[in-house]
């Protein structure tokens, strides 16, 4: 299988950032950041794309970080079994703490926290819902991410992935920084900026989907000036 993506050079080249978020200051400020606006918008898009009456028994959150999205998923599906994966122990601990404060009526609900690289993640059984926000741009080899997704699904799984997209120029990146992170602490600003430069362009994601043959299963759409979503096509 062809493993490389023919990235175009007409646009700003990608500048990778470290995969794991492990620096205590970076982690703490990310965990304390107010993602309400961006994350509630993404969750609404997710809800709009879900099949009617979808109640997943098992949910995977890849690259869960400190669990802001995870807790939103939990409120929507309080009785599902959850598996949270993150390669950063610090992040995973914060996620564990946050999820510990939430309760479900269901007894025997399974909550698993796995400190693992997505590259190494091999689930015992596939999940009904595979979710991931803001992880792909961290990966130096994006196909490692898609491999983990493919190992985690069955034919009826619903997939929802969202991430940032790389702007066309440094000017555009500056503009996005000013527009969306102007009042944030410097660490967060730097994080956001580095993430924008490390993000994949939507054309690049499209090409990845074609290479791994997920393009027949998934739709890909830009939804803001800096985010794309990718989700299972409706089944007829
Ligand atoms: C930007 S945060 C996103 C966290 C969360 N999904 C959210 O929406 O807030 C990215 C997370 O992915 C984790 N991560 C990055 N590369 C990873 C890898 N190769 N394997 C596992 N986790 C990884 C980082 O440690 C970090 O917690």
């Amino acid at each position: 299988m062809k493993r490389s993506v023919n990235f175009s050079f007409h646009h700003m080249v990608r500048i990778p950032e470290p995969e794991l978020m492990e620096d205590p200051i970076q982690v703490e400020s990310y965990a304390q950041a107010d993602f309400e606006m961006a994350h509630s918008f993404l969750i609404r898009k997710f809800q709009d794309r879900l099949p009617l009456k979808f109640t997943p028994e098992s949910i995977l959150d890849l690259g869960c970080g400190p669990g802001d999205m995870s807790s939103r998923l939990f409120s929507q599906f309080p009785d599902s079994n959850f598996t949270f994966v993150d390669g950063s122990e610090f992040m995973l601990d914060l996620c564990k703490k946050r999820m510990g404060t939430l309760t479900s009526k269901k007894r025997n609900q399974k909550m698993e926290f796995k400190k693992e690289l997505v590259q190494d993640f091999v689930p015992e059984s596939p999940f009904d819902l595979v979710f991931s926000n803001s992880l792909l741009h961290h990966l130096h080899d994006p196909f490692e991410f898609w491999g983990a997704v493919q190992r985690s699904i069955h034919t009826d799984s619903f997939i929802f992935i969202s991430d940032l997209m790389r702007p066309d120029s440094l000017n555009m990146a500056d503009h996005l920084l000013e527009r969306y992170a102007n009042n944030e602490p410097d660490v967060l600003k730097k994080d956001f900026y580095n993430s924008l430069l490390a993000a994949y362009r939507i054309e690049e994601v499209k090409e990845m989907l074609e290479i791994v043959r997920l393009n027949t299963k998934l739709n890909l759409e830009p939804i803001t000036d800096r985010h794309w979503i990718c989700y299972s096509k409706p089944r007829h």
Side-chain angles (χ1 to χ4, degrees), residues 17-22 30 35 39 61-70 85-88 91-92 116-119 131-135 137-139 191 195:
E17 59 174 349
E19 291 201 353
L20 299 183
M21 293 172 73
E22 299 192 291
Y30 188 85
F35 288 118
H39 285 184
D61 184 0
L62 274 177
C64 58
D68 182 275
M69 280 302 206
S70 322
V85 175
D86 203 291
S88 157
M91 283 292 199
L92 201 66
E116 242 176 282
L117 292 177
V118 291
Q119 292 86 321
F131 181 95
S132 180
N133 178 52
S134 210
L135 168 63
H137 75 267
H138 281 276
L139 295 192
D191 231 21
S195 297

Side-chain angles (χ1 to χ4, degrees), residues 32-51:
Q32 280 162 23
D34 180 5
F35 288 118
E36 172 54 27
M37 211 178 79
H39 285 184
S40 62
F41 183 78
L42 284 169
I43 286 286
R44 242 175 298 135
K45 295 289 155 193
F46 162 66
Q47 290 164 340
D48 290 348
R49 304 307 191 274
L50 279 176

Side-chain angles (χ1 to χ4, degrees), residues 76-224:
Q76 189 173 356
F77 302 114
D79 294 333
S80 305
N81 296 321
F82 283 86
T83 300
F84 302 102
V85 175
D86 203 291
S88 157
E89 188 158 12
F90 202 165
M91 283 292 199
L92 201 66
D93 277 350
L94 290 171
C95 183
K96 216 185 268 181
K97 277 194 198 127
R98 185 178 306 210
M99 299 309 295
T101 63
L102 308 172
T103 50
S104 155
K105 284 198 220 86
K106 192 181 155 193
R107 280 180 300 156
N108 310 324
Q109 181 182 41
K110 269 206 320 209
M111 287 252 183
E112 287 192 301
F113 297 88
K114 299 199 171 217
K115 185 199 159 292
E116 242 176 282
L117 292 177
V118 291
Q119 292 86 321
D120 301 332
F121 179 63
V122 182
E124 278 157 29
S125 47
F127 298 87
D128 298 335
L129 170 61
V130 171
F131 181 95
S132 180
N133 178 52
S134 210
L135 168 63
L136 179 64
H137 75 267
H138 281 276
L139 295 192
H140 300 167
D141 178 356
F143 293 100
E144 297 278 9
F145 172 83
W146 296 109
V149 170
Q150 281 174 316
R151 290 193 292 279
S152 306
I153 53 174
H154 53 67
T155 40
D156 293 323
S157 302
F158 189 83
I159 302 174
F160 186 91
I161 293 150
S162 42
D163 203 354
L164 292 168
M165 51 197 180
R166 188 167 80 253
D168 287 343
S169 63
L170 287 177
N171 266 348
M172 191 59 194
D174 289 338
H175 166 78
L176 292 171
L177 187 71
E178 206 175 290
R179 180 144 186 209
Y180 297 108
N182 211 17
N183 300 321
E184 303 293 350
D186 284 349
V187 217
L188 271 184
K189 274 192 189 165
K190 192 167 153 238
D191 231 21
F192 179 56
Y193 193 73
N194 289 342
S195 297
L196 284 171
L197 303 193
Y200 293 99
R201 295 174 54 78
I202 202 156
E203 295 81 357
E204 292 166 351
V205 180
K206 182 169 178 275
E207 209 170 326
M208 291 171 200
L209 293 177
E210 283 162 10
I211 291 171
V212 299
R213 311 238 167 121
L214 276 174
N215 58 322
T216 54
K217 268 180 173 268
L218 303 179
N219 283 324
L220 174 67
E221 284 174 30
I223 45 155
T224 70

